[in-house]
Amino acid sequence: MTSQAAAGPRASEAPGRVGDVRRRNLALVLSRLGPDTVASRAEIAAATGLTKASVSSLVTDLLTTGLVEELGVTRDGERGRPGVGLALNPRRGALGAEVNVDYLAVGVLDLKGTLRVHESVEAVNHGRAPADVLADLQGLAARARDSAAAEGIELLGGGLAAPGLVEGDTGIVLTAPNLGWRDVDVSDALAALVPDAPYGVALSNEADSAAVAELWYGQGSAADAYLYLSGEVGVGGGLVLGGSLFTGPGGHAGEVGHVVVDPQGRRCSCGGRGCLETVAGQEAIFAAAGIGTGTATGRMAALRDALAAGDRKAADAVGRAGAALAVAVVAAARLVDISAVVLGGHFAALRDRIGPLLVDSLADLAPGQITSVSFSDLGASAALRGAAGGAVRRVLAAPHELLA
């Protein structure tokens, strides 16, 4: 999950000031230690092209930061001399948080990508004052920090995922229609999630965060390009191209939930008409299936029970959602030339019903275009994993900041 150094000149020979070279080399050494990797100093030297003396000096610094730990003895090759094993330290990590329409969630991810703490609470956040929602989130974050501390995990940064258009540089949620938020400054709330975090706390779009979580920890890890779609109250989307999240010039690419699938359809929360989420969003499916009020978890259970009982209304609602989903996926796939799609949220919860419908519709609408349809196994933690994972990657890319 960490980047691999490309073959070429030794990193120590790169141009620039000595300080710059050492900073790059610290990150280079760290990049050889993946989530499941244990390597000796000699193995790292051979892989990076750095001298053994340089690697030993760099490792000393990395041990000082606490990002790396020594693990017993490893052997350099089948007959090589034994050496001390090095690995990423799971007692360092980052906090991820998510604000969504019907729940709040927090979690702690360690450097190896393991979710060590996770708490999610259902809450009706639409129409609530942003300050009240964020105050509740701070309470969850405080409990997560306490749980991390009890496990000996030091938090170095964090991330907050929100369901709308965000401006990460300024910490502003520009618009989140399903929350009723517009131009909400969350910068103070970000800072309070992990006080004094050396790598800061970043704001991101919920679907974008979930999309990169799939890339780093889930179904997208074996793909170079895919469309991620998350079914919640609305429908979020993220686009991964060339192994990286593509956000477009304005940072808002991937809003597949607002692709028009029915020009004569219902008005959407975005102000448009006939968007995908008006047919395939969680609320739209529940309403069409005749599933009444209650918690999202309870209503999803009721929908699944209705489907299992052969309820025609429920089957029709899911069928329409699957057909609309196929139209939007094909439109996106044709435009950016992708062949894989990953689905999360309630799409994953309904995979046994939506999956076959979607595959059949895709084959009919665009034969041969989409060759891979998969469903997320990350559950409701996908977005906060992505938010925390972004902080982990900031740490791994700039370990020198802990030596200042």
Side-chain angles (χ1 to χ4, degrees):
M1 295 178 193
T2 53
S3 60
Q4 298 296 311
R10 289 187 179 184
S12 59
E13 296 172 355
R17 294 181 291 110
V18 173
D20 292 335
V21 171
R22 190 166 186 82
R23 282 194 284 269
R24 285 194 294 271
N25 287 349
L26 282 166
L28 177 61
V29 169
L30 201 55
S31 76
R32 307 311 302 185
L33 301 176
D36 302 315
T37 303
V38 178
S40 69
R41 289 163 174 81
E43 287 172 328
I44 292 171
T48 60
L50 296 169
T51 67
K52 292 182 180 179
S54 293
V55 169
S56 291
S57 175
L58 293 163
V59 167
T60 296
D61 279 351
L62 290 173
L63 289 169
T64 298
T65 67
L67 301 181
V68 169
E69 64 177 352
E70 293 182 318
L71 292 178
V73 175
T74 185
R75 187 169 294 277
D76 301 332
E78 291 184 7
R79 297 187 178 183
R81 296 176 60 186
V84 176
L86 300 166
L88 294 175
N89 186 354
R91 292 179 298 281
R92 298 292 184 273
L95 183 141
E98 180 186 3
V99 172
N100 217 304
V101 180
D102 52 7
Y103 67 88
L104 298 172
V106 296
V108 171
L109 200 71
D110 69 25
L111 294 187
K112 291 176 176 286
T114 300
L115 190 63
R116 304 285 293 277
V117 177
H118 182 214
E119 182 177 4
S120 179
V121 296
E122 294 190 335
V124 180
N125 294 320
H126 175 74
R128 290 184 67 202
D132 293 340
V133 174
L134 295 171
D136 288 348
L137 187 67
Q138 296 302 333
L140 289 181
R143 290 205 293 271
R145 294 196 303 271
D146 289 343
S147 296
E151 292 192 36
I153 302 171
E154 181 180 338
L155 299 178
L156 302 175
L160 170 63
L165 302 182
V166 305
E167 197 171 67
D169 292 344
T170 61
I172 294 176
V173 178
L174 298 174
T175 176
N178 290 320
L179 285 175
W181 291 13
R182 180 176 292 276
D183 295 327
V184 176
D185 187 341
V186 299
S187 55
D188 289 343
L190 290 175
L193 285 174
V194 188
D196 302 317
Y199 290 87
V201 181
L203 174 66
S204 60
N205 168 267
E206 163 265 334
D208 284 347
S209 292
V212 293
E214 293 296 333
L215 177 66
W216 298 331
Y217 313 115
Q219 295 292 333
S221 59
D224 186 61
Y226 59 90
L227 174 68
Y228 173 82
L229 286 173
S230 174
E232 305 288 350
V233 171
V235 176
L239 188 59
V240 171
L241 299 176
S244 299
L245 182 69
F246 176 77
T247 58
H252 304 143
E255 286 292 314
V256 182
H258 297 292
V259 168
V260 176
V261 295
D262 180 7
Q264 307 304 315
R266 293 171 41 229
R267 283 289 176 191
C268 179
S269 61
C270 73
R273 182 186 295 278
C275 297
L276 173 63
E277 73 174 44
T278 66
V279 182
Q282 187 173 268
E283 287 301 315
I285 294 175
F286 288 155
I291 304 298
T293 59
T295 66
T297 301
R299 296 170 81 191
M300 180 56 68
L303 175 61
R304 292 184 61 82
D305 287 345
L307 290 168
D311 184 272
R312 175 52 52 189
K313 197 172 182 180
D316 287 346
V318 173
R320 284 193 296 273
L325 189 60
V327 171
V329 167
V330 167
R334 292 293 200 197
L335 186 62
V336 296
D337 190 24
I338 57 170
S339 60
V341 59
V342 179
L343 297 107
H346 69 255
F347 298 139
L350 295 169
R351 70 181 72 189
D352 56 335
R353 294 295 182 131
I354 280 187
L357 292 170
L358 181 59
V359 170
D360 288 346
S361 294
L362 291 174
D364 181 49
L365 295 173
Q369 178 71 46
I370 303 294
T371 58
S372 173
V373 175
S374 57
F375 292 87
S376 174
D377 293 319
L378 299 182
S381 71
L384 71 83
R385 282 179 191 258
V392 167
R393 271 148 187 78
R394 294 196 298 275
V395 173
L396 298 179
H400 66 273
E401 292 189 13
L402 294 177
L403 294 168

PDB file of all heavy atoms in Angstrom, residues 231-244:
ATOM      1  N   GLY A 231     -23.980   4.150  -2.041  1.00  0.00           N
ATOM      2  CA  GLY A 231     -25.392   4.393  -1.825  1.00  0.00           C
ATOM      3  C   GLY A 231     -25.665   4.752  -0.379  1.00  0.00           C
ATOM      4  O   GLY A 231     -25.471   3.931   0.518  1.00  0.00           O
ATOM      5  N   GLU A 232     -26.090   5.963  -0.152  1.00  0.00           N
ATOM      6  CA  GLU A 232     -26.512   6.416   1.182  1.00  0.00           C
ATOM      7  C   GLU A 232     -27.881   7.071   0.989  1.00  0.00           C
ATOM      8  O   GLU A 232     -28.632   6.639   0.132  1.00  0.00           O
ATOM      9  CB  GLU A 232     -25.496   7.397   1.765  1.00  0.00           C
ATOM     10  CG  GLU A 232     -24.075   6.873   1.828  1.00  0.00           C
ATOM     11  CD  GLU A 232     -23.865   5.796   2.898  1.00  0.00           C
ATOM     12  OE1 GLU A 232     -24.785   5.601   3.721  1.00  0.00           O
ATOM     13  OE2 GLU A 232     -22.802   5.159   2.897  1.00  0.00           O
ATOM     14  N   VAL A 233     -28.200   8.095   1.784  1.00  0.00           N
ATOM     15  CA  VAL A 233     -29.436   8.840   1.528  1.00  0.00           C
ATOM     16  C   VAL A 233     -29.399   9.365   0.101  1.00  0.00           C
ATOM     17  O   VAL A 233     -30.368   9.296  -0.650  1.00  0.00           O
ATOM     18  CB  VAL A 233     -29.603   9.990   2.536  1.00  0.00           C
ATOM     19  CG1 VAL A 233     -30.766  10.882   2.140  1.00  0.00           C
ATOM     20  CG2 VAL A 233     -29.833   9.418   3.929  1.00  0.00           C
ATOM     21  N   GLY A 234     -28.224   9.882  -0.297  1.00  0.00           N
ATOM     22  CA  GLY A 234     -27.984  10.231  -1.689  1.00  0.00           C
ATOM     23  C   GLY A 234     -27.117   9.157  -2.321  1.00  0.00           C
ATOM     24  O   GLY A 234     -27.000   8.050  -1.811  1.00  0.00           O
ATOM     25  N   VAL A 235     -26.509   9.502  -3.439  1.00  0.00           N
ATOM     26  CA  VAL A 235     -25.574   8.589  -4.104  1.00  0.00           C
ATOM     27  C   VAL A 235     -24.293   9.362  -4.378  1.00  0.00           C
ATOM     28  O   VAL A 235     -24.304  10.358  -5.109  1.00  0.00           O
ATOM     29  CB  VAL A 235     -26.149   8.038  -5.429  1.00  0.00           C
ATOM     30  CG1 VAL A 235     -25.098   7.177  -6.143  1.00  0.00           C
ATOM     31  CG2 VAL A 235     -27.412   7.223  -5.169  1.00  0.00           C
ATOM     32  N   GLY A 236     -23.197   8.925  -3.767  1.00  0.00           N
ATOM     33  CA  GLY A 236     -21.918   9.579  -3.977  1.00  0.00           C
ATOM     34  C   GLY A 236     -21.072   8.795  -4.957  1.00  0.00           C
ATOM     35  O   GLY A 236     -21.272   7.589  -5.144  1.00  0.00           O
ATOM     36  N   GLY A 237     -20.132   9.475  -5.578  1.00  0.00           N
ATOM     37  CA  GLY A 237     -19.272   8.808  -6.541  1.00  0.00           C
ATOM     38  C   GLY A 237     -17.843   9.306  -6.454  1.00  0.00           C
ATOM     39  O   GLY A 237     -17.593  10.467  -6.114  1.00  0.00           O
ATOM     40  N   GLY A 238     -16.909   8.421  -6.744  1.00  0.00           N
ATOM     41  CA  GLY A 238     -15.498   8.774  -6.803  1.00  0.00           C
ATOM     42  C   GLY A 238     -14.864   8.069  -7.986  1.00  0.00           C
ATOM     43  O   GLY A 238     -15.240   6.937  -8.314  1.00  0.00           O
ATOM     44  N   LEU A 239     -13.918   8.715  -8.629  1.00  0.00           N
ATOM     45  CA  LEU A 239     -13.293   8.176  -9.831  1.00  0.00           C
ATOM     46  C   LEU A 239     -11.798   7.988  -9.599  1.00  0.00           C
ATOM     47  O   LEU A 239     -11.097   8.938  -9.232  1.00  0.00           O
ATOM     48  CB  LEU A 239     -13.529   9.142 -10.997  1.00  0.00           C
ATOM     49  CG  LEU A 239     -13.129   8.695 -12.393  1.00  0.00           C
ATOM     50  CD1 LEU A 239     -13.864   7.417 -12.798  1.00  0.00           C
ATOM     51  CD2 LEU A 239     -13.437   9.815 -13.391  1.00  0.00           C
ATOM     52  N   VAL A 240     -11.324   6.769  -9.762  1.00  0.00           N
ATOM     53  CA  VAL A 240      -9.901   6.458  -9.627  1.00  0.00           C
ATOM     54  C   VAL A 240      -9.345   6.155 -11.013  1.00  0.00           C
ATOM     55  O   VAL A 240      -9.847   5.269 -11.713  1.00  0.00           O
ATOM     56  CB  VAL A 240      -9.674   5.259  -8.682  1.00  0.00           C
ATOM     57  CG1 VAL A 240      -8.218   4.815  -8.712  1.00  0.00           C
ATOM     58  CG2 VAL A 240     -10.081   5.630  -7.261  1.00  0.00           C
ATOM     59  N   LEU A 241      -8.327   6.907 -11.410  1.00  0.00           N
ATOM     60  CA  LEU A 241      -7.678   6.728 -12.705  1.00  0.00           C
ATOM     61  C   LEU A 241      -6.179   6.623 -12.491  1.00  0.00           C
ATOM     62  O   LEU A 241      -5.603   7.429 -11.751  1.00  0.00           O
ATOM     63  CB  LEU A 241      -7.979   7.907 -13.637  1.00  0.00           C
ATOM     64  CG  LEU A 241      -9.452   8.165 -13.988  1.00  0.00           C
ATOM     65  CD1 LEU A 241      -9.576   9.420 -14.838  1.00  0.00           C
ATOM     66  CD2 LEU A 241     -10.042   6.971 -14.732  1.00  0.00           C
ATOM     67  N   GLY A 242      -5.551   5.651 -13.109  1.00  0.00           N
ATOM     68  CA  GLY A 242      -4.116   5.494 -12.964  1.00  0.00           C
ATOM     69  C   GLY A 242      -3.673   5.290 -11.540  1.00  0.00           C
ATOM     70  O   GLY A 242      -2.577   5.691 -11.153  1.00  0.00           O
ATOM     71  N   GLY A 243      -4.513   4.640 -10.737  1.00  0.00           N
ATOM     72  CA  GLY A 243      -4.164   4.384  -9.350  1.00  0.00           C
ATOM     73  C   GLY A 243      -4.257   5.577  -8.432  1.00  0.00           C
ATOM     74  O   GLY A 243      -3.782   5.528  -7.294  1.00  0.00           O
ATOM     75  N   SER A 244      -4.878   6.674  -8.898  1.00  0.00           N
ATOM     76  CA  SER A 244      -5.025   7.878  -8.081  1.00  0.00           C
ATOM     77  C   SER A 244      -6.438   8.424  -8.212  1.00  0.00           C
ATOM     78  O   SER A 244      -7.088   8.268  -9.256  1.00  0.00           O
ATOM     79  CB  SER A 244      -4.029   8.962  -8.511  1.00  0.00           C
ATOM     80  OG  SER A 244      -2.706   8.527  -8.360  1.00  0.00           O
TER      81      SER A 244
END
